Structures are given as structure tokens and as C-alpha cells.
Amino acid sequence: MSAIEFVPWGKISRLNRDIVVTEKIDGTNAAILITPLDQVDHIQHHDGRHELFEPDAQKVIASIADAEGRVFLVFAQSRTRFITPDADNFGFAKWVEANAEGLVAALGEGRHFGEWWGQGIQRGYGLKEKCFSLFNTSRWKDTQFEVPGLSAVPVLYWGPQSEERIKTALAVLDAHGSPAAARLGSFKQPAEGIVIWHTAGRTFSKVTLLNDEIPKGLAG
């Protein structure tokens, strides 16, 4: 019989610390995983070529070498699974495949989460194209990407915890529509709501403009 594990009560973060309020875009959750080949331990080598063991090999979108010759494997995922151009989610994997070299150069190693949105996805925002907006605004908010369709989600407020600032952000969205769509030329498309990142607690919360009091899936 194993010993009973001691589990301490975790530290409690301070409520009155900075928050980041961003637009909640109505699309589909997605992510790009960029990982160095030399950090993958389930590879077989054959005649100078590298091959991943199945089923991981089927998930690879692209294999890209950077300027120093280091090879990176590129993957795409939806909220629930890895996706490929042949088993896609609203064309996200196809977009990753088409822009793999630029994405490796722009984003680098890591798992980069964001929202895939635009034409044909949820409300669509009146767009004729699809876009990928990164969630990590502390890293990407001021970056101008060369990859078409790549940006960060719009930041509405960044500063001390403030209920008044949260209400103001919602009021601005309600009055002026989606800033993410507006900067692409689709002016005053209705916004969905906001996402609040608490920097000390490292937690996300969301508030929607419509039916916020109703659990997801029950709103009419």
C-alpha cells in the first residue's frame, strides 16, 4: 500500500492586480504547435531521412528549416484534436500549411493559441477572408505580422482590476461593434463580448453582451 499523499492548500493570488481585457471573437478555437525536430524522441532515421513513428507522422503539417538549418515540425489543432488539410476545421490546417514557413519565422517554437474566425465561421463578421488572432497579447499585441490573416486579439484595457473598466469595455463594444472586424474594413459588425485575463491569478473569465446569465448551449 502506498503512502497517503500530502496535498497543501495552494497560494491565493491578489485580486487587485492587473487584468487584460480583450475582445472575445466569435470563431473557433485553434492553435499552431511548432516544435524542434531535435526535441522529438520518437523518430526513426532511414537513409538520411527522418520519419516520425505513426500515428504522429500523420499529424505533421510541414517540416521547415530555419536560417540556421534547424528543422521545426508544424502542427495544427482545433479545440479537441490535431487537424490536417485532409481532416480540417474550417480550413485552418490548410492555412497553416500554406503559411508554414512564415509562421515558423514569425512565431517560433511553442504552442500558439488563438481564434480562427471570419468568412463562414460562426457570425462571420461580414468578411470575405478568414483570420487567426493570437490570444497571447502580452507577447504579440504590438506585432505587425507579414503572414496574411495573422494578428493578436484587440486589447480594450490593460491595468489594475476595475469593474468600471470592464463595464466601459462592454459599453464600447456594444456601441461601436467589433474592433477586430473594423480594422479589416468590416465596420461596426456586432461584437460578442470580452475575455478577462487576471495576471496574478493566471485565470480567464468571459462576459458576453447577450445572454451572459444563461449557460452556454441554453441561450436561444
Side-chain angles (χ1 to χ4, degrees):
M1 180 177 179
S2 59
I4 297 174
E5 180 185 1
F6 171 76
V7 179
W9 180 260
K11 291 184 178 180
I12 300 175
S13 61
R14 299 273 185 172
L15 177 62
N16 295 316
R17 293 295 184 266
D18 279 4
I19 59 172
V20 183
V21 181
T22 57
E23 180 183 0
K24 184 182 188 301
I25 301 174
D26 189 12
T28 184
N29 185 270
I32 302 165
L33 171 60
I34 301 172
T35 186
L37 178 65
D38 56 20
Q39 292 184 14
V40 177
D41 59 5
H42 44 293
I43 299 175
Q44 56 185 346
H45 298 272
H46 180 69
D47 293 335
R49 293 180 291 108
H50 59 266
E51 297 178 356
L52 270 70
F53 294 148
E54 298 294 349
D56 285 346
Q58 299 177 19
K59 303 171 186 175
V60 177
I61 300 293
S63 177
I64 304 294
D66 66 10
E68 287 72 41
R70 194 179 186 194
V71 177
F72 291 85
L73 301 179
V74 182
F75 302 82
Q77 64 181 59
S78 67
R79 182 183 293 276
T80 59
R81 63 186 175 90
F82 282 103
I83 56 178
T84 67
D86 295 326
D88 213 337
N89 185 41
F90 293 104
F92 181 66
K94 289 185 178 70
W95 178 81
V96 172
E97 181 182 49
N99 295 282
E101 187 172 354
L103 290 168
V104 170
L107 301 178
E109 179 181 351
R111 196 180 303 261
H112 308 283
F113 288 94
E115 195 80 359
W116 181 238
W117 61 285
Q119 184 184 40
I121 307 174
Q122 304 295 9
R123 66 183 61 193
Y125 293 91
L127 298 179
K128 295 181 179 180
E129 68 271 16
K130 297 182 180 69
C131 311
F132 184 55
S133 294
L134 295 157
F135 293 150
N136 189 354
T137 52
S138 63
R139 183 175 180 183
W140 304 118
K141 69 180 180 70
D142 295 322
T143 305
Q144 298 295 317
F145 294 103
E146 295 184 3
V147 177
L150 182 64
S151 64
V153 293
V155 175
L156 307 174
Y157 170 71
W158 193 320
Q161 164 85 9
S162 168
E163 289 298 320
E164 190 62 33
R165 291 285 193 165
I166 291 172
K167 291 178 181 178
T168 298
L170 285 167
V172 169
L173 289 183
D174 195 27
H176 299 288
S178 166
R183 68 189 184 189
L184 294 173
S186 183
F187 182 70
K188 206 170 181 180
Q189 290 293 323
E192 184 184 15
I194 60 174
V195 173
I196 305 158
W197 167 250
H198 191 277
T199 58
R202 301 190 66 78
T203 57
F204 285 104
S205 302
K206 64 182 178 181
V207 184
T208 55
L209 286 168
L210 296 176
N211 301 315
D212 186 63
E213 71 284 356
I214 302 175
K216 186 175 181 179
L218 298 182

